[in-house]
Amino acid sequence: MTENPFLQEFLPYNENLIKAIDVTIQNGQDENKDTLYYLRGYYIFVNFLVDEKNVFNDMPEGFKVLLSKASLDLFAVYSTISSGCINQSLAIVRSLFESSVYLTYINRDFDKLLYLYQNHKDFLAYHKWNQDKELLNFTKAHEAAIAKKYESIKNNYKKRGPWYEYPLLEDMKNHDSYKDIKKKRATFKAMCVITGNEELYNRLYVTMSESVHGSSLTGSLFKNEKDHISMAPNFSPFYINTTAAFAIAFLHNMVTVGLKNQIDKGHTEYSSYLSYSEKYSNLLIDKGTKNKG
């Protein structure tokens, strides 16, 4: 036994808290086992489509990047709420919402807008290289390739603007919410308005952003049953069901866009996957919307 006074006090506390955390997490997972099961199951379903059935193999790289990111975001939501870290999961759901809105917007003119999304990385790479040439120390061949690609796409983007700057501004000109505004800005909020996601932006995205930036608005997530601030994991079924429902709804929307594009190209056999995706996701969406807390 150590003679250090601090360790004499801390080590027993450490051991007891580790045991308590393990019990709390196990009990929380047991209480929410159905939601966690279905949430993880949808992640596995998307992996089945991608890895086992090669459903999206002939889709453009940009789509596959968005879907892969969103699928891992869903698994990250599963991982965080499985540990009782609800507030932390909100930042990931926010990212899922962004990806879902991006793909919804891209689907308005799929090939054209996906090209802009996909090639924006080369536009950014050129400006990064141009800014940090000595630090990056690329080979002459690599530099030439970057410059060549940049020349073919440079007029599609604004240097400090998002990938959707020019097409979104054009869409805003004809939209009732923006056509009378002289100085228009291509913002993510504007994209939400254009795609019919304005209500979700105002009611959900803004709140999740407050959570990401450490607002006191989310303080209720850190209170225990005695209304005291607590660092203990939170396994509130209301918050877990609601968070899971939004996460799966956003990924389901992206899977739907991909499957419908493939079906339109002649892959009618994928219709059963679309039907299953809708039924599976509705299990959690219904659970989240009906939950009264």
Side-chain angles (χ1 to χ4, degrees):
M1 182 67 178
T2 179
E3 295 182 1
N4 185 308
F6 168 75
L7 292 180
Q8 286 179 348
E9 185 176 10
F10 174 75
L11 291 177
Y13 173 85
N14 177 67
E15 184 176 345
N16 291 334
L17 188 59
I18 289 174
K19 293 177 181 178
I21 289 173
D22 289 343
V23 171
T24 298
I25 289 176
Q26 187 60 60
N27 290 341
Q29 290 176 352
D30 290 344
E31 184 179 11
N32 296 280
K33 62 181 180 181
D34 288 343
T35 297
L36 295 174
Y37 175 81
Y38 289 125
L39 188 61
R40 183 181 61 181
Y42 194 76
Y43 166 76
I44 293 172
F45 166 69
V46 178
N47 274 263
F48 173 77
L49 295 182
V50 174
D51 295 332
E52 185 68 20
K53 305 306 292 184
N54 300 318
V55 167
F56 303 117
N57 259 19
D58 59 346
M59 293 283 279
E61 179 187 345
F63 170 81
K64 289 185 278 191
V65 167
L66 274 170
L67 186 65
S68 297
K69 176 186 176 300
S71 298
L72 284 170
D73 278 347
L74 185 80
F75 189 72
V77 171
Y78 165 79
S79 300
T80 50
I81 63 177
S82 292
S83 301
C85 298
I86 296 173
N87 184 70
Q88 287 66 33
S89 72
L90 297 181
I92 309 167
V93 176
R94 177 179 182 261
S95 175
L96 259 170
F97 177 63
E98 291 172 343
S99 296
S100 178
V101 171
Y102 280 172
L103 193 55
T104 301
Y105 181 70
I106 287 169
N107 202 40
R108 292 164 61 87
D109 192 343
F110 193 81
D111 292 334
K112 174 186 174 182
L113 293 174
L114 193 62
Y115 175 87
L116 289 177
Y117 169 80
Q118 185 172 307
N119 287 283
H120 192 233
K121 68 179 187 299
D122 297 309
F123 180 82
L124 296 174
Y126 173 84
H127 286 289
K128 180 65 177 174
W129 162 70
N130 209 32
Q131 177 182 315
D132 300 317
K133 288 182 181 179
E134 294 183 4
L135 180 65
L136 294 173
N137 195 28
F138 288 156
T139 64
K140 293 295 183 181
H142 194 176
E143 290 180 356
I146 291 175
K148 181 179 179 180
K149 181 65 177 180
Y150 176 75
E151 284 300 315
S152 68
I153 63 173
K154 65 181 182 181
N155 294 326
N156 295 332
Y157 310 101
K158 188 176 178 180
K159 185 174 181 179
R160 289 183 174 80
W163 63 269
Y164 49 81
E165 176 92 12
Y166 293 140
L168 186 59
L169 286 174
E170 285 299 312
D171 289 331
M172 293 169 71
K173 290 179 181 178
N174 302 313
H175 196 278
D176 289 342
S177 298
Y178 296 103
K179 63 183 181 181
D180 295 328
I181 299 176
K182 291 184 178 180
K183 192 174 182 180
K184 299 175 177 63
R185 294 177 60 242
T187 63
F188 179 68
K189 180 179 180 179
M191 184 182 287
C192 288
V193 173
I194 296 294
T195 57
N197 285 287
E198 184 177 12
E199 184 177 2
L200 272 175
Y201 178 90
N202 291 332
R203 300 183 63 180
L204 180 69
Y205 186 79
V206 172
T207 300
M208 291 187 296
S209 297
E210 293 286 351
S211 170
V212 170
H213 299 303
S215 169
S216 59
L217 182 66
T218 56
S220 60
L221 293 174
F222 305 107
K223 291 186 177 181
N224 59 23
E225 63 277 2
K226 296 180 180 179
D227 203 34
H228 295 162
I229 293 296
S230 171
M231 290 179 283
N234 186 339
F235 287 96
S236 161
F238 171 77
Y239 287 121
I240 285 181
N241 289 339
T242 304
T243 302
F246 278 122
I248 204 170
F250 297 147
L251 181 56
H252 166 63
N253 176 61
M254 299 178 71
V255 170
T256 298
V257 169
L259 286 174
K260 285 185 175 180
N261 270 272
Q262 292 294 71
I263 292 169
D264 289 345
K265 289 192 291 186
H267 294 285
T268 54
E269 70 275 18
Y270 294 165
S271 296
S272 60
Y273 298 143
L274 181 59
S275 176
Y276 184 79
S277 178
E278 291 171 352
K279 291 177 182 178
Y280 202 105
S281 62
N282 283 340
L283 289 171
L284 265 186
I285 293 171
D286 290 344
K287 192 178 182 67
T289 55
K290 291 177 181 178
N291 189 6
K292 302 299 182 182

